[in-house]
Amino acid sequence: MKIIGTTLNAKYIHTNLALRYLKAYAAPEYDVEIVEYTIKDPVMNIVTDLYKRSPDVIGFSCYIWNMEEIKKVVTILKKVLPDVHIVLGGPEVTYDPFFWLREIPGVDTIIIGEGEATFKNLLAEIDGQKDFHQVNGIAFLEGEKPVITPPAAKVDLKTLPSPFRFEEDIPNLSKRITYIETSRGCPFNCQFCLSSIETGVRFFDRERIKDDIRFLMKNGAKTIKFMDRTFNISRSYALDIFDFLIREHEPGCVFQFEITADIMKPEVIEYLNKEAPKGLFRFEIGVQSTNDYTNELVKRKQNFEKLKRTVTMIKDGAKVDQHLDLIAGLPEENYDSFRKTFNDVFEMRPEELQLGFLKMLRGTGLRQQAKQWDYQYMDQAPYEIVSNNVMPFTDIIRIKQVEDVLEKYWNDHRMDLGIEYLVSQVYPSPFDFFQEFGTYWEEKNWSRIGHQPEDLFKRLVEFNKQAYPDSQDMLISLLKIDYLDKLVFKPRKPWWESSMTKQEKSPYYQAAIKEPERVSKEFAELKLNEKDMYKHVLIEEIDFDYTHYEQTGEYRSKKMLILAYFNPKEGGSRLFFAEPSNLI
């Protein structure tokens, strides 16, 4: 019996952990071949590839990001392979199986919930008597009659075989994200999240987890992402894993976790700040809303002051990058309330701030209560809302404008000095800056065209000139520093029009050649000759005293020179600042 487990990942670098657990559990009785595609692959290409493999059974792993494409694939596939047994599993089909059985007539069976044991039992019946009533945890149609069998028992996670020991995966470990679980379930009950449906938390054997991680690192894995909904729910468990990774990590390997920040103990953070190598860990933290009433309505327990303490301690430690999430459109969170939520969270200056929109996932309490708040949402996955009783579509549109520029101008960290100046000194609040800029961005139709890095600087300058022209000189100076600091090679033509001609710059070059210590001791240590100076150093004028800013955090206008040196061997830049009068 030829069995294929497949899915459509969002990107090539992603891998599907569920399929690998199914394959490991089905062995040795059944050999499951894993075939992964992406949602960008043409549907007919996927159908053709699956057809050529001549399968008897195909299992699809289904999520909100791939369900619509899977529907197309299955519909065509069943026409060209009418005898193939098609199985769907995963969170998107678990909570409304009869809808999908009717929506996609080519589907034979849907697995409900945890799939390892159920899938193996189903394969035994497909291969044998085909009495599917004997398989717990599935849904199917008998003629037009929907059938759902009794729930399958939860498997003992400590007995699950490792999903990481397949030879065919090893060559790609360094190129793709590896996902791993140390637990299943979530102790919380947030009504917008599928994790709230499964009660309790179960843990895998931690020594087995460590052995798997050792194997993955030894074979080249570079990015390992933990799938636990709340990795730090057990302080001792989390601390043990953190300690293991700090002691035994391989160079270049990065580990990502979803943590609940307000339950993280200060002593754990202190340990990470002291012992963890910089960049080894990355935390994803779901804040979602700082509106207490909204959190109460969705049964989300969150102490924002403790969350803020955790995020601040981690940021001050400068060892762990943090990605914070917000959700727009939660119950009774109107535009003004969301503005406050955004500003509350942005005040912590996370390395990344992800602004998402509420999705009414099948099976969640919020979807069942949608009428209570007059939710209107997309009929197809991802079921994103378009309005509710306190947030009309016009406000959704406005917040989406914020989302667009937030990603380009904050999360990419191309121009941290310039953005920090605008959000802290010029605009009424960070949200107001991103909103005004996002609206302008949309009016200019810039969202419909591509952007070179230089374009992003020019567009910010153009916007700010009409919004707050008095801040323009300071902004341009800060953006020049941002731009030169991030470059690898000396630019042939920067994005700005230089305020100095070649003739005006020449005396500064000559002074820096003859007496480099007048720039700084560190600049003199470069020992640049005349050829190197003109070839690898860019001199530009700014209206900002950067040295004073570094020492005090104050913005002070002052004519200064940047001397940006670009290392021809190693790449990258070093910036030096000098007063013009110190050189000539």
Side-chain angles (χ1 to χ4, degrees):
M1 187 166 67
K2 180 67 177 290
I3 308 159
I4 291 176
T6 189
T7 194
L8 282 66
N9 295 320
K11 297 179 180 177
Y12 167 76
I13 60 169
H14 298 164
T15 51
N16 187 282
L17 181 59
L19 292 177
R20 287 163 173 79
Y21 270 117
L22 296 179
K23 177 181 175 70
Y25 197 88
E29 291 84 354
Y30 300 101
D31 179 24
V32 178
E33 178 186 0
I34 294 177
V35 186
E36 292 175 281
Y37 308 97
T38 76
I39 55 175
K40 298 294 185 182
D41 292 333
V43 168
M44 279 306 297
N45 289 12
I46 298 172
V47 171
T48 300
D49 186 61
L50 290 172
Y51 176 84
K52 288 180 177 178
R53 296 172 188 271
S54 302
D56 298 297
V57 180
I58 303 179
F60 287 85
S61 189
C62 303
Y63 306 86
I64 56 172
W65 64 79
N66 66 15
M67 196 62 222
E68 292 305 310
E69 298 305 304
I70 286 177
K71 178 180 173 181
K72 297 172 188 175
V73 170
V74 170
T75 301
I76 300 172
L77 196 60
K78 199 68 171 183
K79 292 179 180 180
V80 296
L81 284 174
D83 295 329
V84 70
H85 192 108
I86 293 180
V87 185
L88 303 186
E92 176 55 16
V93 296
T94 282
Y95 302 104
D96 203 350
F98 296 141
F99 170 84
W100 290 112
L101 286 168
R102 293 190 172 100
E103 181 74 7
I104 316 176
V107 174
D108 295 288
T109 311
I110 288 179
I111 290 177
I112 299 170
E114 202 166 63
E116 289 89 356
T118 300
F119 186 60
K120 188 171 186 176
N121 293 337
L122 177 62
L123 293 177
E125 284 301 326
I126 294 172
D127 197 30
Q129 299 300 314
K130 296 181 174 56
D131 182 2
F132 301 123
H133 290 271
Q134 300 303 312
V135 182
N136 287 344
I138 63 172
F140 56 94
L141 295 177
E142 279 187 336
E144 295 296 316
K145 179 186 174 185
V147 177
I148 187 166
T149 63
K154 299 291 185 185
V155 297
D156 181 354
L157 299 183
K158 293 180 171 59
T159 67
L160 284 181
S162 171
F164 302 113
R165 307 301 172 114
F166 305 122
E167 290 186 10
E168 60 268 31
D169 280 338
I170 292 175
N172 294 316
L173 284 176
S174 64
K175 306 168 193 171
R176 307 177 76 181
I177 299 172
T178 301
Y179 296 91
I180 192 168
E181 295 175 300
T182 70
S183 65
R184 288 183 184 174
C186 181
F188 303 110
N189 195 29
C190 307
Q191 293 297 288
F192 51 81
C193 180
L194 287 175
S195 299
S196 65
I197 299 171
E198 181 181 349
T199 57
V201 180
R202 296 172 295 148
F203 291 91
F204 287 77
D205 179 78
R206 75 174 77 176
E207 295 307 316
R208 215 288 304 283
I209 292 292
K210 293 176 184 178
D211 284 341
D212 279 340
I213 294 173
R214 290 187 186 103
F215 175 86
L216 291 167
M217 291 191 297
K218 179 182 176 183
N219 286 281
K222 296 300 180 186
T223 303
I224 297 177
K225 183 169 183 177
F226 288 74
M227 298 295 290
D228 308 59
R229 301 311 300 170
T230 304
F231 178 78
N232 60 316
I233 188 62
S234 167
R235 175 185 169 278
S236 61
Y237 197 101
L239 199 52
D240 184 42
I241 297 294
F242 287 147
D243 180 67
F244 159 72
L245 296 175
I246 289 170
R247 287 184 290 103
E248 299 195 27
H249 72 275
E250 296 286 341
C253 203
V254 176
F255 301 91
Q256 300 180 17
F257 307 86
E258 292 187 31
I259 69 161
T260 299
D262 59 344
I263 65 169
M264 200 164 201
K265 300 297 183 183
E267 56 265 31
V268 176
I269 306 170
E270 290 167 358
Y271 170 76
L272 294 176
N273 286 346
K274 180 182 177 183
E275 302 293 340
K278 183 175 174 58
L280 181 65
F281 299 143
R282 182 175 186 267
F283 289 167
E284 297 183 13
I285 300 169
V287 183
Q288 321 311 10
S289 174
T290 63
N291 183 316
D292 290 337
Y293 182 51
T294 291
N295 284 327
E296 181 183 334
L297 290 173
V298 296
K299 300 182 181 179
R300 180 175 176 79
K301 296 179 180 179
Q302 178 170 274
N303 185 319
F304 184 63
E305 289 306 311
K306 288 185 177 180
L307 182 151
K308 189 159 59 172
R309 178 193 66 188
T310 294
V311 172
T312 302
M313 285 182 67
I314 293 172
K315 188 173 181 64
D316 290 345
K319 294 291 190 70
V320 180
D321 283 346
Q322 298 179 96
H323 169 115
L324 272 56
D325 287 327
L326 300 179
I327 297 179
L330 290 170
E332 301 303 329
E333 176 107 285
N334 63 16
Y335 180 85
D336 291 333
S337 171
F338 184 77
R339 175 182 180 273
K340 180 180 183 303
T341 282
F342 184 99
N343 287 330
D344 288 342
V345 176
F346 196 88
E347 183 182 354
M348 296 182 281
R349 300 300 192 268
E351 284 76 19
E352 288 186 19
L353 178 57
Q354 187 73 41
L355 197 171
F357 293 81
L358 179 63
K359 296 170 178 62
M360 305 296 278
L361 303 178
R362 293 179 182 275
T364 58
L366 209 50
R367 179 164 173 142
Q368 295 169 9
Q369 300 165 12
K371 290 184 179 179
Q372 182 176 343
W373 292 288
D374 193 25
Y375 274 110
Q376 301 296 318
Y377 56 92
M378 301 174 183
D379 292 333
Q380 288 80 34
Y383 314 114
E384 190 171 289
I385 69 157
V386 294
S387 68
N388 66 19
N389 63 319
V390 297
M391 189 172 283
F393 188 51
T394 51
D395 287 345
I396 295 286
I397 292 171
R398 293 166 71 195
I399 296 174
K400 281 189 176 292
Q401 294 165 352
V402 173
E403 177 191 29
D404 194 14
V405 293
L406 178 71
E407 190 65 32
K408 291 181 176 67
Y409 284 87
W410 178 256
N411 292 340
D412 280 355
H413 293 286
R414 285 189 179 94
M415 47 195 87
D416 288 347
L417 285 173
I419 299 302
E420 179 60 37
Y421 170 66
L422 293 174
V423 301
S424 64
Q425 304 294 316
V426 179
Y427 290 78
S429 78
F431 183 86
D432 292 298
F433 161 70
F434 288 108
Q435 181 66 85
E436 289 186 42
F437 188 23
T439 301
Y440 187 83
W441 187 276
E442 187 66 28
E443 289 171 352
K444 288 286 186 177
N445 287 321
W446 289 338
S447 59
R448 294 165 177 78
I449 59 176
H451 316 280
Q452 296 298 321
E454 290 77 8
D455 295 329
L456 295 174
F457 285 88
K458 291 177 183 177
R459 285 166 185 161
L460 177 56
V461 168
E462 177 187 323
F463 158 69
N464 191 69
K465 184 177 181 180
Q466 57 82 38
Y468 287 88
D470 291 345
S471 65
Q472 192 75 338
D473 290 343
M474 180 70 74
L475 174 64
I476 291 174
S477 296
L478 292 164
L479 293 180
K480 286 178 181 179
I481 299 172
D482 281 324
Y483 178 74
L484 294 172
D485 187 49
K486 300 291 195 302
L487 287 181
V488 177
F489 304 108
K490 184 180 177 182
R492 284 180 291 181
K493 190 178 188 310
W495 54 265
W496 62 86
E497 292 295 329
S498 180
S499 59
M500 303 167 68
T501 65
K502 286 184 179 181
Q503 290 76 14
E504 290 171 329
K505 290 182 181 181
S506 182
Y508 297 117
Y509 274 108
Q510 291 301 316
I513 293 165
K514 294 172 183 175
E515 298 181 82
E517 64 278 356
R518 293 175 68 178
V519 177
S520 72
K521 177 184 175 184
E522 292 77 14
F523 186 81
E525 290 171 353
L526 296 175
K527 297 180 179 179
L528 302 175
N529 58 35
E530 185 169 3
K531 180 182 176 182
D532 289 335
M533 186 70 70
Y534 279 102
K535 189 174 182 179
H536 302 304
V537 175
L538 182 148
I539 295 180
E540 184 57 48
E541 189 178 52
I542 59 173
D543 296 302
F544 170 58
D545 190 342
Y546 183 72
T547 304
H548 180 75
Y549 174 77
E550 273 196 314
Q551 294 170 350
T552 67
E554 295 175 359
Y555 296 90
R556 187 167 76 180
S557 294
K558 186 177 184 179
K559 289 293 182 185
M560 296 286 288
L561 294 176
I562 305 177
L563 291 87
Y565 167 67
F566 295 88
N567 190 313
K569 293 181 179 179
E570 300 174 4
S573 64
R574 286 182 66 185
L575 304 190
F576 302 89
F577 299 86
E579 294 186 33
S581 59
N582 284 353
L583 295 183
I584 57 174

